[in-house]
Amino acid sequence: MVVSALLIGYWAYRAFYNWLHEPKGLKRLVLGRGEILAPDDPHVLFLESHGYEVISGKHRVPLVVDLDGKEMSSRLYVDYVAVRNGDMYAVKLMRERQPLDWTGSGLRDRLLVFHLLLPELEGILLIDTEDNKIRTVKFELNEEPKMKEA
């Protein structure tokens, strides 16, 4: 009984210690099923023709932004979630009214939020409907910056 009490006490201490030291405000997004997929959705058919399985439709994630004590509402959109070879991807449709800056900082500013909120993603697929092209964006957090050799 003494050994059992010691084990339970140690387990309770470790649980409390881990809870006390976990990062404040650590939040991650868990996507549900999303909208129902239409069987003739051209974007779904396009992804399937490239070997992806679309597992869920559009997700709207409501956000509240606090700016100097004034709350504003916003939304984060994921158009689809797709899987290929066991890897999961968020899918975004490229829109003419929201052009994308194809630089490292432009991609970071626009898409890094998906990588941070959904760490199980392998990357983000961007569907360019005008060029019938799928572009894949992946983020890797480097521990140390790479130095260029002279």
Side-chain angles (χ1 to χ4, degrees):
M1 297 237 326
V2 172
V3 172
S4 296
L6 287 173
L7 287 173
I8 291 171
Y10 177 75
W11 175 79
Y13 167 76
R14 292 301 301 164
F16 178 72
Y17 181 86
N18 289 336
W19 171 80
L20 191 62
H21 290 90
E22 90 179 3
K24 182 181 179 212
L26 179 65
K27 295 180 183 174
R28 71 179 274 289
L29 183 61
V30 177
L31 295 177
R33 292 291 306 152
E35 287 183 1
I36 296 172
L37 297 168
D40 59 346
D41 185 323
H43 301 113
V44 172
L45 297 173
F46 181 66
L47 284 163
E48 288 175 347
S49 72
H50 284 82
Y52 293 94
E53 176 191 357
V54 179
I55 59 172
S56 114
K58 182 173 284 227
H59 295 272
R60 290 175 189 86
V61 181
L63 300 172
V64 175
V65 180
D66 185 314
L67 175 63
D68 297 331
K70 181 182 177 190
E71 287 188 356
M72 300 175 274
S73 63
S74 184
R75 282 180 231 122
L76 180 67
Y77 292 99
V78 177
D79 293 313
Y80 302 97
V81 176
V83 175
R84 183 166 75 175
N85 299 329
D87 295 327
M88 189 174 6
Y89 298 88
V91 180
K92 296 288 293 171
L93 301 176
M94 294 179 60
R95 299 192 182 352
E96 194 174 304
R97 67 178 183 267
Q98 295 176 327
L100 192 58
D101 180 10
W102 292 102
T103 63
S105 59
L107 293 170
R108 175 204 63 214
D109 291 347
R110 188 78 165 277
L111 301 173
L112 183 61
V113 65
F114 298 104
H115 174 77
L116 296 174
L117 287 176
L118 299 161
E120 65 273 9
L121 292 179
E122 179 65 22
I124 298 102
L125 301 177
L126 298 169
I127 298 180
D128 186 348
T129 53
E130 284 186 20
D131 294 337
N132 283 332
K133 198 173 183 182
I134 298 176
R135 311 235 13 213
T136 305
V137 178
K138 296 181 181 185
F139 293 99
E140 182 180 326
L141 301 175
N142 288 333
E143 297 290 324
E144 294 184 28
K146 294 180 182 177
M147 303 296 278
K148 291 184 180 179
E149 294 183 19

